[in-house]
Amino acid sequence: MSAVMRLGYVQLRVTDLEEARNHYSNTLGMEVVHEEPGKLWLKCWDEWDHHSLVIEEGGVGLVKLGYKVDSPEALADFERRSQQFGATVGRFSEGENLKVGDGVRITLPSDHTLELYTDMEFAGTETGAINPEAWPRNIRGVGTHWIDHALISVDEPALVERFMSECLDFRSAERAVVSMEDPELLGSWMTCGESPHDLAFIKGPNNKLHHFAYHLEDWSSILKAGDIFSMDDVPIDIGPTRHGITRGTTIYFFDPAGNRNEVFAGLGYRAQKDFPTITWTSDQLAKGIFYHARELNEGFTTVFT
Amino acid sequence: MSAVMRLGYVQLRVTDLEEARNHYSNTLGMEVVHEEPGKLWLKCWDEWDHHSLVIEEGGVGLVKLGYKVDSPEALADFERRSQQFGATVGRFSEGENLKVGDGVRITLPSDHTLELYTDMEFAGTETGAINPEAWPRNIRGVGTHWIDHALISVDEPALVERFMSECLDFRSAERAVVSMEDPELLGSWMTCGESPHDLAFIKGPNNKLHHFAYHLEDWSSILKAGDIFSMDDVPIDIGPTRHGITRGTTIYFFDPAGNRNEVFAGLGYRAQKDFPTITWTSDQLAKGIFYHARELNEGFTTVFT
Amino acid sequence: MSAVMRLGYVQLRVTDLEEARNHYSNTLGMEVVHEEPGKLWLKCWDEWDHHSLVIEEGGVGLVKLGYKVDSPEALADFERRSQQFGATVGRFSEGENLKVGDGVRITLPSDHTLELYTDMEFAGTETGAINPEAWPRNIRGVGTHWIDHALISVDEPALVERFMSECLDFRSAERAVVSMEDPELLGSWMTCGESPHDLAFIKGPNNKLHHFAYHLEDWSSILKAGDIFSMDDVPIDIGPTRHGITRGTTIYFFDPAGNRNEVFAGLGYRAQKDFPTITWTSDQLAKGIFYHARELNEGFTTVFT
Amino acid sequence: MSAVMRLGYVQLRVTDLEEARNHYSNTLGMEVVHEEPGKLWLKCWDEWDHHSLVIEEGGVGLVKLGYKVDSPEALADFERRSQQFGATVGRFSEGENLKVGDGVRITLPSDHTLELYTDMEFAGTETGAINPEAWPRNIRGVGTHWIDHALISVDEPALVERFMSECLDFRSAERAVVSMEDPELLGSWMTCGESPHDLAFIKGPNNKLHHFAYHLEDWSSILKAGDIFSMDDVPIDIGPTRHGITRGTTIYFFDPAGNRNEVFAGLGYRAQKDFPTITWTSDQLAKGIFYHARELNEGFTTVFT
């Protein structure tokens, strides 16, 4: 597997910080762990690092993604390989990102900013590491467990897939192509561990976010989330439904600024190194994305932030 | 992570092959992929290798466990480290295990036989790798997805934990100790990837099996499994319930020969390299094991095969 | 409560009998209990009367609904009251409907044909009445439990509500009106027992069916149904989702002829005689109907059969 | 159906009022709607009458059960029939029970006190009757929906069944007998509406309570309840599991005084007037009660309060 462990943080722009606080904290149940004028840091109850979401007021859309790496040696290796690939690569220092150590900043071929780092201040999960309860007794709102993955849009999926594979040891668990005869890549769901996807991308404008996703326990948690979205006037994009891709169950919805979020449940499979990569052809891709509706809603391929 | 990918096969003895066939095939839904006099090979619908369970008639209990490794280099390295640890280590050849390539046979400090291998004939999952359905339309019985982990009993947990860690790069996601003051190890739930456990062990007689477990989708699948166990007269040991350890939901039950099986659901967490290991103290251990009952049934600590 | 016990049968037209057989039997899991050229009779596994669905080839749409009454005295009383109301009322004889006894045929103010009867040949449920299993071991497809209710469209909802209340002792569990100031009735969900609805109607063309619904166990059964619809190429209209009205969880889908079906789960409440009727106002009605999307899809108010 | 609508209130003794308040309010989520020294009145969020539980300090066990009747005429009829049966019957006046109108007090042949009444002050559900949410946004603890039924122990089940049937129009949905040859009644699950049971009884000491039960939405709510019981140190008697009888899913647990409660989910069937009564024979009765374990735990037949 890759020495990249996970999507460690998402940094977003929002139009109104207080609306965002309400959405991510009261509705989704994250905790605000730090704040400064115009900026919030939040974590989910089951995450052990200091934060997983950074929100800054002003506009809408993705600022950058942070992926945590398991050793400085691996970090240096990823840096070297990314440079050799021809990507723009730089170093950032401890403190540039609150509570985050030194790291490497990579501009993906799709212009997205990816930060790799090995250290973030340890906070511990809300249930703790000694005789823990199964979940926090006073869970809030949806009670999201952790930030799980992101889906971005890229102009050249094949190029980004090659980068992620050659430079960062990601593997494709599932791939969308035009047809079995025409292997042009339309999207790829890539993993750095056993999860079906830690970073996914589909063809679209560069440097844009389609959504980032929170893990929930199961299909019943998805229903509860949907109910709360209705109570809290959160716009739902689609769902509850199942994905064909990853087999996960899902709701897509929007934060008040218009950034798309997902709640996602289901351990469809363990994407080990010998996992036989799944191929979706464009004629079946809508079923792959929304397994029940079997057609894409208009927003899916047009709304990016 | 470890170059060990997963528990690839379990080899068991049963008293009656036809009863076992009925249990593992009709009740649990595995497919018999090969048979010879006195012996059956089976796989689950979502496994891609040739088989994951080998059953041989005669007696009861565990013969051996096979773990799949991702490269010959890693295999050789595990062999070398195991020898240095002082374990009994040997090589086995392609064909000694049906459809399995060359490998390394290790006798654990607990006398269990562990086989490491890199190749098993590829069979593909029942849903396939091109535009797959979410699950097989004509699923049978419980419809187990895959064999997920095993729990064995060992006389010296600390020694086995050290072996698995030093020689095979397993990490402990959760550990049971006497108390925060007395760190004597009572059990350990070790992972080679992101799953909470690929091999777990608790203090008990050497070379014995507590249970091996099948992955199911969620808590509702656990209910359906329990219902089918009742219809098919399968003895249930405990459950449906939740584990505190791993947070998974579960039923323990027995095959007709008396080997304990488990159906297990739930992605409690992703046990990445920086996962803060959870400690259970003996006064809370019953809650850790059976989160609702908070007491161990008699069988839990006495029935091994 | 009313002496009407339940929606006992639905009689439908379909364009192709074999496609309908496949849909209602293989996909939904009903059993074909009788057939004649151009006509099928089916029942669900948990229904104890001879059949609950009659399908006749030729066209599409609702032929009639049958409601079972608990005594001949009540039947005669309903007949008398319906006549006094001014409805067209007639008698039908045993044998006119296969396995159904004598009864009363009423033309509702909305031109729908409603048949009331007290006797249908007893068949027994598939699990039986002595030490029954919780569900049939070899359930097929979606495994629908029973036909639960129908939603029809009527030109004058207030008139139909008055008829059902005054003549048949139905009560409104939930009602949709223009606003708290303008009490014009847009729809009514009426019960003859404790269920939230045994017959519902919304404003629309007379003598048309919106859908009829099957009971399923819970939200997880709804997911399984949706998955099977995808595997079997059944067009889904909407769902899985929750209704605000009744709080039930649901998928709307179509049979091959275009008749809308529903799978429905959830005992939202017991609509006893003192149940405080719920009012939905038109500005919130979309949320009442599709609790998550909070908007009506185009089909909802345009597709009737 | 019967003019009895439902189990309207349960009156209990507890050893410690504050412990009971914590249990019924914080853990189960009922609201304390009135209190006086030594006494609490509570309701669930989805109940519309003033209260459904009365708790008085001093001892343990059932004081009485109140069943709500739909009209004064029916009340008078039940009174007359109960007298004719030979039961001890009296009248009580408005105000004797807080917020409850005049009524009839019956001593069952099993010495239990049953109060019938037609009026209790209306409170409304927590979600209200105008454009209601599916459930209260700020639900507390388990979030029980309503008190659903009670199971009492009686020395002569056949006599009590005859009383409930002849005097109060209850019907038996399920019955337990010694065997198909020996029809001695061991227990009966009786309904006054469509629910599988509004009052059930099994053979045991007179004037004792086995448990009373709260309705929850589904099997996932049962899991959540079990988790909270563990967090709140509530002793679980058995479960989560399924009943064969009623097919409902369940946990039995105890309040701090030792009164047994149940959380119960599932609309197994609608027990209409022509429902074919289910018979359980004593050799299969354990499976009927605990469908998975298929054996009774010791407490089931020995712990009554």
Side-chain angles (χ1 to χ4, degrees):
Chain A
M1 300 202 190
S2 173
V4 178
M5 293 190 292
R6 67 175 166 276
L7 174 57
Y9 57 81
V10 172
Q11 189 155 339
L12 277 188
R13 282 183 299 269
V14 300
T15 44
D16 184 299
L17 203 67
E18 290 316 302
E19 286 178 359
R21 181 202 303 269
N22 184 53
H23 175 79
Y24 289 102
S25 175
N26 291 337
T27 297
L28 296 186
M30 298 186 82
E31 188 192 355
V32 176
V33 292
H34 186 77
E35 55 184 299
E36 293 178 9
K39 214 161 167 185
L40 296 177
W41 287 255
L42 302 101
K43 79 183 278 288
C44 297
W45 67 264
D46 205 22
E47 293 171 329
W48 51 88
D49 278 344
H50 180 265
H51 63 265
S52 60
L53 182 64
V54 185
I55 294 175
E56 50 185 59
E57 198 164 40
V60 57
L62 181 67
V63 178
K64 58 188 179 184
L65 299 171
Y67 280 82
K68 194 172 185 185
V69 173
D70 72 10
S71 73
E73 294 71 28
L75 189 70
D77 182 45
F78 292 145
E79 181 182 26
R80 186 185 47 76
R81 287 199 260 161
S82 302
Q83 285 167 334
Q84 286 178 345
F85 192 95
T88 304
V89 180
R91 280 267 167 183
F92 63 86
S93 303
E94 187 180 343
E96 257 186 83
N97 293 293
L98 181 82
K99 308 289 185 186
V100 178
D102 297 340
V104 169
R105 185 175 294 124
I106 298 169
T107 304
L108 290 186
S110 55
D111 295 338
H112 294 85
T113 302
L114 209 74
E115 293 183 341
L116 304 180
Y117 63 99
T118 56
D119 289 296
M120 185 188 287
E121 186 177 287
F122 179 79
T125 71
E126 201 171 321
T127 48
I130 300 176
N131 301 320
E133 299 293 354
W135 41 273
R137 176 65 174 83
N138 293 306
I139 209 161
R140 192 167 58 249
V142 171
T144 53
H145 293 223
W146 64 76
I147 291 185
D148 187 76
H149 66 268
L151 172 58
I152 58 178
S153 71
V154 308
D155 185 47
E156 293 184 78
L159 177 63
V160 175
E161 188 185 53
R162 192 160 66 82
F163 177 85
M164 295 302 295
S165 169
E166 293 183 6
C167 301
L168 302 182
D169 295 331
F170 277 53
R171 289 169 294 111
S172 293
E174 311 207 19
R175 303 174 84 246
V177 297
V178 171
S179 68
M180 294 312 285
E181 293 70 40
D182 178 353
E184 184 193 335
L185 188 68
L186 304 176
S188 183
W189 288 257
M190 300 192 81
T191 181
C192 56
E194 290 194 352
S195 176
H197 50 353
D198 292 290
L199 180 68
F201 39 90
I202 53 172
K203 190 166 173 56
N206 271 343
N207 199 15
K208 291 290 184 183
L209 176 70
H210 185 275
H211 72 267
F212 68 96
Y214 292 90
H215 172 85
L216 292 186
E217 181 167 4
D218 61 15
W219 176 238
S220 288
S221 314
I222 296 287
L223 174 61
K224 181 189 159 196
D227 291 347
I228 289 175
F229 295 153
S230 194
M231 296 174 193
D232 286 5
D233 289 324
V234 174
I236 286 180
D237 186 25
I238 195 160
T241 190
R242 187 196 284 279
H243 294 303
I245 296 169
T246 76
R247 299 176 183 157
T249 54
T250 178
I251 298 173
Y252 286 155
F253 56 102
F254 294 102
D255 78 5
N259 296 296
R260 193 189 278 103
N261 302 161
E262 182 185 22
V263 284
F264 176 86
L267 173 58
Y269 50 80
R270 296 172 61 181
Q272 292 145 344
K273 199 176 167 189
D274 66 344
F275 178 76
T277 300
I278 288 169
T279 301
W280 293 87
T281 53
S282 54
D283 60 323
Q284 294 294 313
L285 186 55
K287 182 171 173 179
I289 292 171
F290 301 130
Y291 190 63
H292 299 132
R294 284 158 276 162
E295 58 184 28
L296 299 182
N297 60 347
E298 193 192 322
F300 185 82
T301 48
T302 57
V303 178
F304 302 96
T305 62
Chain B
M1 301 202 191
S2 172
V4 178
M5 294 190 291
R6 66 174 167 277
L7 174 57
Y9 56 81
V10 172
Q11 188 155 338
L12 276 189
R13 281 184 299 270
V14 300
T15 43
D16 183 299
L17 202 67
E18 290 315 303
E19 286 179 0
R21 181 201 304 268
N22 184 54
H23 175 78
Y24 288 103
S25 175
N26 291 336
T27 297
L28 296 185
M30 298 185 83
E31 186 192 356
V32 176
V33 291
H34 186 77
E35 54 183 300
E36 294 178 7
K39 215 160 166 185
L40 296 176
W41 285 256
L42 303 102
K43 80 181 276 288
C44 295
W45 67 264
D46 205 21
E47 294 170 328
W48 51 87
D49 279 343
H50 180 264
H51 64 265
S52 61
L53 182 64
V54 184
I55 294 176
E56 49 184 61
E57 197 164 41
V60 57
L62 181 67
V63 178
K64 58 189 179 185
L65 300 171
Y67 279 81
K68 193 172 185 186
V69 174
D70 72 10
S71 73
E73 295 70 30
L75 189 71
D77 182 45
F78 291 146
E79 180 183 26
R80 186 186 48 75
R81 286 199 261 161
S82 300
Q83 284 167 335
Q84 285 177 348
F85 192 95
T88 303
V89 180
R91 280 266 166 181
F92 63 87
S93 304
E94 186 179 344
E96 257 186 81
N97 293 294
L98 181 80
K99 309 287 184 185
V100 178
D102 298 338
V104 170
R105 185 175 293 124
I106 298 170
T107 304
L108 290 187
S110 56
D111 295 337
H112 294 84
T113 301
L114 209 73
E115 293 184 340
L116 304 180
Y117 64 100
T118 55
D119 289 296
M120 185 187 289
E121 187 176 287
F122 179 79
T125 70
E126 200 170 322
T127 49
I130 301 177
N131 301 320
E133 301 292 354
W135 40 273
R137 177 65 174 82
N138 292 306
I139 209 161
R140 193 166 59 247
V142 170
T144 53
H145 294 222
W146 63 76
I147 291 186
D148 187 77
H149 67 268
L151 172 58
I152 59 177
S153 71
V154 309
D155 185 48
E156 292 184 79
L159 178 61
V160 175
E161 188 185 53
R162 192 160 65 80
F163 177 85
M164 295 303 295
S165 168
E166 293 183 5
C167 302
L168 303 182
D169 294 332
F170 277 54
R171 289 168 294 110
S172 293
E174 311 207 21
R175 303 175 83 246
V177 298
V178 171
S179 68
M180 295 311 285
E181 293 71 39
D182 179 352
E184 185 192 335
L185 188 68
L186 303 176
S188 184
W189 287 258
M190 300 192 80
T191 182
C192 56
E194 289 194 353
S195 175
H197 49 354
D198 292 289
L199 180 68
F201 40 88
I202 53 171
K203 190 167 174 54
N206 270 344
N207 199 16
K208 290 290 184 184
L209 176 71
H210 186 274
H211 71 267
F212 68 97
Y214 293 90
H215 172 84
L216 292 186
E217 182 168 3
D218 61 14
W219 176 237
S220 287
S221 314
I222 296 287
L223 174 61
K224 180 190 158 196
D227 291 347
I228 289 176
F229 296 153
S230 194
M231 296 175 192
D232 287 4
D233 289 324
V234 174
I236 287 181
D237 187 24
I238 196 162
T241 190
R242 188 196 284 278
H243 293 303
I245 296 169
T246 76
R247 299 176 183 158
T249 53
T250 178
I251 298 174
Y252 286 156
F253 56 101
F254 294 102
D255 78 6
N259 296 297
R260 194 189 277 103
N261 301 162
E262 182 185 23
V263 284
F264 176 86
L267 174 58
Y269 49 80
R270 294 172 60 182
Q272 293 145 343
K273 199 175 167 189
D274 66 342
F275 179 75
T277 300
I278 289 170
T279 301
W280 292 87
T281 54
S282 53
D283 60 323
Q284 294 294 313
L285 186 54
K287 182 173 174 179
I289 292 171
F290 301 131
Y291 190 63
H292 298 133
R294 284 158 276 161
E295 57 185 27
L296 299 183
N297 60 348
E298 193 192 322
F300 185 82
T301 48
T302 57
V303 178
F304 301 95
T305 61
Chain C
M1 300 202 190
S2 173
V4 178
M5 294 190 292
R6 67 175 166 275
L7 174 56
Y9 56 81
V10 173
Q11 188 155 340
L12 277 189
R13 281 184 300 270
V14 301
T15 44
D16 184 300
L17 203 65
E18 291 315 302
E19 286 179 359
R21 183 202 301 269
N22 184 54
H23 175 78
Y24 288 102
S25 175
N26 292 337
T27 297
L28 295 185
M30 298 186 82
E31 186 191 358
V32 176
V33 292
H34 186 77
E35 55 183 299
E36 294 178 8
K39 214 162 166 185
L40 296 177
W41 286 256
L42 303 101
K43 80 182 277 289
C44 296
W45 67 263
D46 205 23
E47 294 170 328
W48 50 88
D49 279 344
H50 180 265
H51 63 265
S52 61
L53 182 64
V54 185
I55 294 176
E56 49 184 60
E57 198 164 40
V60 58
L62 181 67
V63 178
K64 58 189 180 184
L65 299 172
Y67 279 82
K68 193 173 185 185
V69 174
D70 72 11
S71 73
E73 296 70 28
L75 188 71
D77 183 45
F78 291 145
E79 180 182 27
R80 187 186 48 75
R81 286 198 262 161
S82 300
Q83 284 167 335
Q84 286 177 348
F85 192 95
T88 303
V89 179
R91 280 268 166 181
F92 63 86
S93 303
E94 185 179 343
E96 257 186 82
N97 293 294
L98 182 82
K99 308 288 185 186
V100 178
D102 298 338
V104 170
R105 184 175 294 122
I106 298 168
T107 304
L108 290 186
S110 56
D111 295 336
H112 294 84
T113 301
L114 208 74
E115 293 184 341
L116 303 180
Y117 64 99
T118 56
D119 289 297
M120 185 187 286
E121 188 176 285
F122 179 79
T125 70
E126 201 171 322
T127 48
I130 301 176
N131 301 321
E133 300 293 354
W135 41 272
R137 176 65 173 82
N138 292 306
I139 210 162
R140 192 167 58 248
V142 171
T144 54
H145 293 223
W146 63 76
I147 290 186
D148 187 77
H149 66 267
L151 172 58
I152 58 178
S153 71
V154 308
D155 185 49
E156 293 184 79
L159 179 63
V160 176
E161 187 184 53
R162 192 160 66 81
F163 177 85
M164 294 304 295
S165 169
E166 293 183 7
C167 301
L168 302 181
D169 295 332
F170 277 54
R171 290 168 294 110
S172 293
E174 311 207 21
R175 303 175 83 246
V177 298
V178 171
S179 68
M180 294 312 284
E181 293 69 40
D182 179 352
E184 185 193 334
L185 189 68
L186 303 176
S188 183
W189 288 258
M190 301 193 77
T191 181
C192 56
E194 290 194 353
S195 176
H197 50 352
D198 292 289
L199 181 67
F201 41 89
I202 54 172
K203 190 165 173 58
N206 270 343
N207 199 17
K208 291 289 184 184
L209 177 70
H210 186 275
H211 72 267
F212 68 97
Y214 293 89
H215 172 84
L216 292 186
E217 183 167 3
D218 61 14
W219 176 238
S220 287
S221 315
I222 296 287
L223 174 60
K224 181 190 158 195
D227 290 347
I228 289 175
F229 296 153
S230 194
M231 296 175 194
D232 287 6
D233 288 324
V234 174
I236 286 180
D237 186 25
I238 196 162
T241 189
R242 188 196 284 279
H243 293 304
I245 296 168
T246 76
R247 299 175 183 159
T249 53
T250 179
I251 298 174
Y252 286 155
F253 56 102
F254 294 102
D255 77 6
N259 296 296
R260 193 189 276 103
N261 302 160
E262 182 185 23
V263 284
F264 177 85
L267 172 58
Y269 48 79
R270 295 173 59 182
Q272 292 146 344
K273 199 175 166 188
D274 65 343
F275 178 76
T277 299
I278 288 169
T279 301
W280 293 87
T281 53
S282 53
D283 60 324
Q284 294 293 313
L285 186 54
K287 182 173 174 179
I289 291 171
F290 302 130
Y291 190 62
H292 299 133
R294 283 159 276 162
E295 58 185 26
L296 299 182
N297 59 348
E298 193 192 323
F300 184 82
T301 49
T302 57
V303 178
F304 302 96
T305 62
Chain D
M1 301 200 191
S2 173
V4 178
M5 293 190 291
R6 67 173 165 277
L7 173 57
Y9 55 82
V10 173
Q11 188 155 339
L12 276 188
R13 281 184 298 269
V14 300
T15 44
D16 184 299
L17 203 65
E18 291 315 303
E19 286 179 358
R21 182 202 303 268
N22 184 54
H23 174 78
Y24 289 102
S25 175
N26 291 337
T27 297
L28 295 185
M30 298 185 82
E31 185 192 358
V32 176
V33 292
H34 186 77
E35 55 183 299
E36 294 178 7
K39 214 160 167 184
L40 296 177
W41 286 256
L42 302 102
K43 80 182 276 288
C44 297
W45 67 263
D46 204 22
E47 294 171 329
W48 51 88
D49 278 345
H50 180 266
H51 64 265
S52 61
L53 182 64
V54 185
I55 294 175
E56 50 184 60
E57 196 163 43
V60 57
L62 181 67
V63 178
K64 58 190 179 185
L65 299 171
Y67 279 82
K68 193 172 185 186
V69 174
D70 71 11
S71 74
E73 296 70 30
L75 189 71
D77 183 44
F78 291 144
E79 179 182 27
R80 186 185 48 73
R81 287 198 261 162
S82 300
Q83 284 166 336
Q84 285 176 350
F85 191 95
T88 304
V89 180
R91 280 267 167 182
F92 64 85
S93 302
E94 186 179 343
E96 257 185 82
N97 292 293
L98 181 83
K99 308 288 185 186
V100 178
D102 298 337
V104 170
R105 184 175 294 123
I106 298 170
T107 304
L108 289 187
S110 56
D111 296 338
H112 293 84
T113 301
L114 208 74
E115 293 185 341
L116 304 180
Y117 64 98
T118 56
D119 289 297
M120 186 188 287
E121 188 176 286
F122 178 78
T125 70
E126 201 170 321
T127 48
I130 301 176
N131 301 322
E133 300 292 354
W135 43 272
R137 177 65 174 82
N138 292 306
I139 211 161
R140 193 167 57 247
V142 171
T144 54
H145 293 222
W146 62 76
I147 291 186
D148 186 78
H149 66 267
L151 172 58
I152 60 178
S153 71
V154 308
D155 185 47
E156 293 183 79
L159 179 62
V160 176
E161 187 185 54
R162 191 160 67 80
F163 177 85
M164 295 303 296
S165 169
E166 293 182 6
C167 301
L168 302 181
D169 294 332
F170 277 54
R171 291 169 294 109
S172 293
E174 310 208 21
R175 302 174 83 245
V177 298
V178 171
S179 69
M180 294 312 285
E181 293 72 39
D182 179 352
E184 186 192 333
L185 189 68
L186 303 177
S188 184
W189 286 257
M190 300 192 79
T191 180
C192 56
E194 289 194 354
S195 175
H197 50 353
D198 292 289
L199 181 68
F201 41 87
I202 53 171
K203 189 164 175 57
N206 271 343
N207 200 15
K208 290 291 184 184
L209 176 70
H210 185 274
H211 72 267
F212 68 96
Y214 293 89
H215 172 82
L216 292 186
E217 183 168 3
D218 61 14
W219 175 239
S220 287
S221 315
I222 295 287
L223 174 61
K224 182 189 157 195
D227 290 347
I228 290 175
F229 296 154
S230 193
M231 295 174 193
D232 286 5
D233 289 324
V234 174
I236 286 181
D237 187 24
I238 195 161
T241 190
R242 187 195 284 278
H243 294 302
I245 297 169
T246 77
R247 300 175 182 158
T249 53
T250 179
I251 299 174
Y252 286 156
F253 55 101
F254 294 102
D255 79 5
N259 296 296
R260 193 190 276 103
N261 301 161
E262 182 185 22
V263 283
F264 177 85
L267 174 58
Y269 48 80
R270 295 173 59 181
Q272 291 146 343
K273 199 177 166 186
D274 66 343
F275 178 76
T277 300
I278 288 169
T279 301
W280 293 87
T281 53
S282 53
D283 60 322
Q284 294 294 314
L285 186 53
K287 182 172 174 179
I289 292 171
F290 301 129
Y291 190 62
H292 299 133
R294 284 159 275 162
E295 58 184 28
L296 299 182
N297 60 347
E298 193 191 324
F300 185 83
T301 49
T302 58
V303 178
F304 302 96
T305 61

